[in-house]
C-alpha cells in the first residue's frame, strides 16, 4: 500500500502475524497431504500402519468424538452403537478407544451377562430397553439383543420358535427405536479364522488377557461354520434401511479402529461446540488455614 508521498507504507505487525499464520497453516496442510498419501500407499501395498501415523490419526479422531459428544448433549440426541462380531474380532479394543476421551456421564457401555431366571421370563428385548439412552446420551452395546441370533441359536440356548420370533420381531423393534428418535448404528466386526486363532493363542499366553477367553469362546472356535451361517441369516433378516449393518474388516486392528471411528463421525453430522480453554486465575492465599500434621493421617507406603 502506497503512502501519500508514493512510498510503500511499512507493513503493520498485525499483517505480518496474519501472513506468518497463513504460511504456517499452508505448510501444515502440505505436510498433512503428504502423510495421508503415505498412509494410502502403505494401505494399497498391504503394509501395516506405522505406530506414529496410527497414534496421530487416533488422537485426531478421539478429539472429534469429544466434539461429537458435546453436539449430542447440546441437541439432545439419543445415540445407540451396537458392536457385534466373532470372539476376538476386536470389539473390546474398539470400544476402549472410542470411550477413552469421552465423559462417562454422557457415554455408557452396556455389556450384559447371562440373563437371570427372572429375566428369562420377560419379553426378550425388555432387559435391553432398560439401558437405552435418554436425551444427550450415547450408549454402546458390547454385544446386544443379537445374542439370540448368534450364540443362543448356535449353542441351543433358545428354542427354534424363539429364534424365529426374534428374526421376525427384531426389524420391527429397531424400526420403533429409530422412529422414536434414536440414532442406531450397527457394526459387525469380521475377522478371519487364522487371525482369530492367532489372537486366541495370544490371550492364552498373556495373563492380563486370559480372562477374555471363556469356555464359550473355545466352543465357538469349534463351530466356525455354524456361526458363519448364523451371521449370514442374521444380516439377511435384520439389515433394514432404517438401521443397516456396517461390516468392519478387523484383521488389521489399527485400521479397523480408525475406519470405524471415522465412520461414526460421518454418520452423525455434528458441529464443533467444544468450549475454548479458560485461563486459570491465581489461586487464593491459604490465609489462616494450617494443614494437620502428617502423623495424624494414614498414607499409602511409598513402595516404588
Amino acid at each position: 500500500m502506497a503512502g501519500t508521498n508514493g512510498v510503500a507504507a511499512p507493513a503493520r505487525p498485525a499483517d505480518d502475524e496474519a501472513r506468518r499464520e497463513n504460511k504456517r497453516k499452508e505448510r501444515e496442510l502440505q505436510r498433512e497431504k503428504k502423510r495421508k498419501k503415505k498412509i494410502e500407499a502403505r494401505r494399497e501395498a498391504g503394509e501395516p500402519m506405522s505406530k506414529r501415523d496410527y497414534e496421530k490419526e487416533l488422537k485426531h479422531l478421539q478429539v472429534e468424538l469429544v466434539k461429537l459428544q458435546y453436539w449430542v448433549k447440546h441437541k439432545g440426541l439419543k445415540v445407540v452403537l451396537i458392536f457385534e462380531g466373532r470372539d476376538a474380532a476386536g470389539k473390546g479394543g474398539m470400544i476402549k478407544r472410542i470411550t477413552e476421551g469421552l465423559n462417562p456421564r454422557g457415554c455408557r457401555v452396556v455389556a450384559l451377562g447371562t440373563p437371570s431366571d427372572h429375566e428369562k421370563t420377560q419379553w426378550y428385548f425388555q432387559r435391553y430397553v432398560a439401558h437405552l439412552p435418554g436425551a444427550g446420551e450415547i450408549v454402546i452395546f458390547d454385544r446386544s439383543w443379537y445374542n439370540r441370533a448368534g450364540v443362543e441359536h448356535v449353542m441351543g440356548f433358545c428354542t427354534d420358535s424363539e429364534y424365529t420370533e426374534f428374526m421376525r420381531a427384531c426389524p420391527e423393534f429397531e424400526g420403533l427405536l429409530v422412529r422414536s428418535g434414536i440414532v442406531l448404528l450397527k457394526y459387525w466386526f469380521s475377522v478371519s479364522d487364522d487371525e482369530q486363532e492367532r489372537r486366541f493363542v495370544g490371550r492364552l499366553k498373556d495373563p492380563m488377557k486370559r480372562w477374555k477367553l471363556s469356555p464359550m469362546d473355545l466352543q465357538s472356535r469349534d463351530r466356525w461354520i455354524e456361526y458363519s451361517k448364523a451371521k449370514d441369516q442374521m444380516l439377511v433378516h435384520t439389515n433394514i434401511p432404517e438401521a443397516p449393518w456396517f461390516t468392519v474388516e478387523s484383521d488389521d486392528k489399527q485400521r479397523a479402529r480408525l475406519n470405524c471411528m471415522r465412520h461414526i463421525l460421518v454418520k452423525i453430522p455434528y458441529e464443533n461446540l467444544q468450549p475454548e480453554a479458560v485461563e486459570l486465575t491465581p489461586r487464593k492465599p491459604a490465609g489462616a488455614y494450617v494443614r494437620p500434621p502428617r502423623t495424624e493421617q494414614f498414607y499409602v507406603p511409598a513402595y516404588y
Side-chain angles (χ1 to χ4, degrees):
M1 179 177 178
T4 55
N5 58 358
V7 179
R12 290 177 296 177
D15 294 336
D16 290 341
E17 181 63 30
R19 278 194 291 270
R20 284 195 294 269
E21 180 64 18
N22 288 336
K23 287 182 179 180
R24 186 193 65 79
K25 289 182 178 179
E26 193 173 313
R27 288 194 299 269
E28 181 65 26
L29 182 61
Q30 292 301 321
R31 284 196 295 267
E32 188 67 14
K33 286 182 178 179
K34 288 181 180 179
R35 193 173 64 84
K36 293 282 187 183
K37 190 174 181 180
K38 183 181 70 172
I39 291 174
E40 179 70 15
R42 291 179 70 93
R43 184 182 64 81
E44 292 180 351
E47 300 175 357
M49 288 186 73
S50 69
K51 183 178 180 181
R52 179 183 177 185
D53 287 338
Y54 167 69
E55 291 180 348
K56 187 168 185 177
E57 288 294 321
L58 178 64
K59 183 178 180 180
H60 167 71
L61 292 172
Q62 288 177 328
V63 170
E64 292 303 309
L65 285 170
V66 171
K67 296 176 185 178
L68 173 63
Q69 187 177 32
Y70 274 108
W71 181 253
V72 168
K73 182 178 180 180
H74 172 72
K75 300 296 288 186
L77 300 181
K78 295 172 285 186
V79 178
V80 171
L81 306 177
I82 289 179
F83 292 97
E84 295 285 348
R86 295 184 183 275
D87 299 308
K91 301 180 297 298
M94 180 75 261
I95 293 171
K96 180 179 178 181
R97 271 67 182 186
I98 289 176
T99 59
E100 213 162 26
L102 300 184
N103 186 342
R105 292 187 179 89
C107 179
R108 294 183 283 116
V109 178
V110 178
L112 301 183
T114 304
S116 65
D117 291 339
H118 176 66
E119 287 173 330
K120 290 177 181 178
T121 67
Q122 297 175 341
W123 174 49
Y124 176 71
F125 296 99
Q126 189 166 336
R127 72 181 187 133
Y128 296 101
V129 169
H131 297 279
L132 292 175
E137 285 187 310
I138 301 172
V139 171
I140 301 174
F141 281 94
D142 184 358
R143 297 199 181 278
S144 63
W145 45 84
Y146 282 101
N147 278 333
R148 175 139 295 178
V151 62
E152 290 189 18
H153 174 59
V154 173
M155 302 303 297
F157 296 152
C158 67
T159 65
D160 289 342
S161 61
E162 288 173 331
Y163 168 75
T164 301
E165 172 59 20
F166 170 83
M167 298 296 257
R168 184 194 67 79
C170 185
E172 296 179 3
F173 171 67
E174 291 182 351
L176 287 172
L177 297 184
V178 174
R179 289 194 296 275
S180 75
I182 288 177
V183 178
L184 178 60
L185 296 177
K186 306 184 301 190
Y187 293 97
W188 175 267
F189 280 70
S190 178
V191 64
S192 65
D193 50 353
D194 289 339
E195 179 61 19
Q196 185 190 50
E197 183 74 6
R198 190 187 68 79
R199 293 178 187 178
F200 277 174
V201 172
R203 289 180 176 184
L204 287 172
K205 294 179 178 179
D206 188 343
M208 291 183 63
K209 294 183 178 180
R210 203 168 296 156
W211 62 270
K212 293 184 176 183
L213 201 58
S214 67
M216 196 63 61
D217 296 335
L218 296 177
Q219 291 191 50
S220 71
R221 175 175 173 268
D222 297 330
R223 302 190 183 213
W224 180 272
I225 300 301
E226 290 92 329
Y227 272 97
S228 295
K229 292 179 179 178
K231 181 261 295 183
D232 293 342
Q233 287 300 308
M234 180 191 77
L235 296 182
V236 166
H237 286 84
T238 62
N239 190 40
I240 60 176
E242 303 95 317
W245 278 102
F246 297 101
T247 298
V248 180
E249 297 287 352
S250 62
D251 274 11
D252 186 325
K253 284 185 177 181
Q254 293 182 334
R255 287 193 171 98
R257 292 165 184 166
L258 300 180
N259 288 332
C260 187
M261 292 167 73
R262 182 181 181 279
H263 190 266
I264 292 169
L265 294 167
V266 169
K267 297 300 291 184
I268 309 176
Y270 65 99
E271 296 177 14
N272 182 12
L273 299 180
Q274 190 173 29
E276 296 292 333
V278 298
E279 186 174 337
L280 293 178
T281 57
R283 193 185 296 272
K284 294 181 179 179
Y289 172 75
V290 178
R291 183 175 179 176
R294 293 174 61 90
T295 55
E296 295 182 5
Q297 302 177 34
F298 293 102
Y299 287 84
V300 174
Y303 185 83
Y304 295 97

